[in-house]
Every structure is written in C-alpha cells, then in structure tokens.
Amino acid sequence: MTAANTNEDQFAILRRTMVEQVALHADHVSGKTGRDAIAHPVMEAIGRVPRHAFVPVEMTLYAYLDSPLPIGCGKTISQPFIVALMTDLLEIGAGHRVLEIGTGLGYQAALLAELAAEVYTVELIKELGQSGRRRLDEQGYGNVQFRIGDGSLGWPDHAPYDRIIATAAPDLIPPALLQQLKPGGRMVIPAGLEDDQRLLLVTKDEGGRYETDEILPVRFSHLMSGADEHDSGD
Ligand code: SAH
C-alpha cells in the first residue's frame, strides 16, 4: 500500500468519526432546531466529501474535528455540524439548481454538488474563489459554476434558484436573493448584527409570499459589500 493510500484510509476513518459527532450534535440540539436528525442523504454526502481537501494545507490534521477552521483572508469554514444543519434545512432535491453566496475554499459547494443538479457559487475575494474553484475541479465536481463578485446581488443570469444558501451574514436579507428564489423555494441564511445573528430559513410559497423561521443563534463573518473588498486593498 502506498503512503498516499494510507493517508486516504486514515482520512476516511477520521471522516466517519466526524459524521458520528455531527449526528450526536444534531440530536443534542434537536429541541432547538426542531429537527430530530440530519437526513440520510446529507449525512452520506458528508461521509463522502474529503473535507481535508477544502482546508489550507496546515489545517489538514484538524479537518475532521467538529469545529470551524481558518481558511485564509480572515475567513473561516463553519463547523461541520452547522454545515450539515444548513444543508439539511435546504431539503435539496436531485434536480435542483442551487445558489451559494460565499464560496470560500469550496467545502459547502462540494456538499451541494453531491446533492443537487447544478450549483452556482459566488465569492467576493478572488484569492479564495480561485482556490475554491481549483479544489472543486480537482475533486471532480463538474456541476459547479463560479463567479467572483458581490453575492448580495445574487447571480441574476441563472435565476430563479430552487435553493439559496449564504455562508456569510448580512444585517438584513438582501432583496436580490429573495427575488431570485423560485416560488416554492427555500433559502438558508445567517443574518443580524454582529453579536446577534440568527440562522434563518426563508420559504417562498407558490404565490410569492415569504415566511421566515429563526433556527439558532449563530456567529458568521459579515457579508461584505463590493466596497469592503475594494477597501481591503485586494
Ligand atoms: N462556504 C465556505 C465558507 C466561506 S466563509 C466554505 O465552505 O469554505 C464566508 C465567505 O463569504 C468568505 O469566503 C467571504 O469572502 C465570502 N463573502 C463575504 N461577503 C461576500 C459577498 N458580498 N459576496 C460573496 N462572497 C462573500
């Protein structure tokens, strides 16, 4: 057996442990989330995606902890339980077109690509978006389209979307995202002021009316505007 194989086997073992931790965590907070368990297809997808391929190389050893990790440029990848919960809340169908705001290094996009037909992902920071794209390409996720830009404007060219997910938090839900959600669609988005964010589930009925449920208090990095990115000097 080659060293590379041994590593992959070890990652597979670590990944199984992470999946068990995610299931325990979901059970523990089911009273708050109103969901007894993460759906099987989501758990299976988490069991398949090599999270170590979607974190910076110096974080590889920690990739399978149920914990958030830095991904560079001051950003973090959410802890696996939160990624699982958000993905579960979306209730993705195999034929769905999904929009993600905040590609980062692409872990969430990989999970979406496992479950949906088409994934469109938008990242404001070029360096992260390009790295995410390379990682998703290397892992063979051919059903993901990428864009560098301000995701608070959505991606109108491919709208409407069956599902929308944001992995950075605006103060208020951007109107463009509400507009680009299909009637009958679902959106999962953290929103609120820095110390008072909630994970929200937005559903749009066939008549175009919205309903918003608060799921959990959360802490995400802020959804920046194009001007913020300009100010950061990148
Ligand atoms: N989904 C990522 C986690 C990314 S963290 C993963 O699985 O790795 C949130 C990301 O949102 C950061 O990469 C940040 O640069 C990006 N972001 C912040 N504001 C944005 C905006 N207005 N448009 C697009 N992306 C944005």
Side-chain angles (χ1 to χ4, degrees):
M1 190 182 274
T2 65
N5 267 341
T6 314
N7 274 342
E8 288 309 310
D9 292 346
Q10 286 169 348
F11 285 134
I13 293 167
L14 291 171
R15 193 153 59 243
R16 276 201 291 281
T17 310
M18 182 187 85
V19 169
E20 282 165 18
Q21 276 185 319
V22 166
L24 285 172
H25 197 156
D27 185 45
H28 188 65
V29 295
S30 62
K32 285 192 203 150
T33 60
R35 297 179 87 85
D36 289 343
I38 307 288
H40 279 295
V42 176
M43 292 303 274
E44 280 168 13
I46 292 170
R48 283 194 299 272
V49 176
R51 194 170 191 258
H52 63 275
F54 295 98
V55 298
V57 68
E58 64 276 16
M59 290 294 143
T60 312
L61 276 177
Y62 311 108
Y64 293 103
L65 298 180
D66 187 20
S67 127
L69 292 175
I71 56 171
C73 303
K75 305 300 173 190
T76 48
I77 178 175
S78 301
Q79 77 177 121
F81 163 67
I82 290 289
V83 177
L85 177 65
M86 291 173 77
T87 310
D88 190 46
L89 286 164
L90 283 174
E91 297 184 357
I92 295 171
H96 281 165
R97 170 182 295 208
V98 183
L99 173 68
E100 179 194 27
I101 309 305
T103 316
L105 295 189
Y107 177 68
Q108 174 73 69
L111 265 184
L112 300 172
E114 289 272 349
L115 296 162
E118 300 163 41
V119 178
Y120 295 84
T121 183
V122 184
E123 169 60 52
L124 189 63
I125 300 179
K126 196 169 170 189
E127 186 183 332
L128 289 174
Q130 286 176 341
S131 178
R133 177 178 199 154
R134 184 177 48 74
R135 289 161 194 271
L136 285 153
D137 285 348
E138 274 170 14
Q139 297 302 317
Y141 290 107
N143 56 342
V144 184
Q145 306 294 320
F146 305 86
R147 187 175 132 82
I148 302 295
D150 182 358
S152 62
L153 306 173
W155 191 346
D157 300 3
H158 304 283
Y161 301 93
D162 300 286
R163 301 292 186 255
I164 298 179
I165 179 170
T167 63
D171 294 351
L172 296 169
I173 302 173
L177 299 185
L178 290 170
Q179 278 156 15
Q180 291 171 31
L181 187 63
K182 251 188 207 169
R186 295 165 79 85
M187 166 158 55
V188 174
I189 183 167
L193 300 177
E194 197 174 334
D195 290 322
D196 192 22
Q197 293 174 4
R198 298 281 185 282
L199 185 62
L200 304 177
L201 169 64
V202 181
T203 47
K204 189 177 195 176
D205 72 16
E206 296 297 340
R209 284 175 298 266
Y210 303 103
E211 198 171 296
T212 303
D213 287 326
E214 286 190 8
I215 308 296
L216 274 183
V218 285
R219 184 180 269 264
F220 277 74
S221 61
H222 194 246
L223 186 80
M224 301 178 294
S225 71
D228 291 334
E229 168 60 357
H230 192 69
D231 291 347
S232 76
D234 289 313

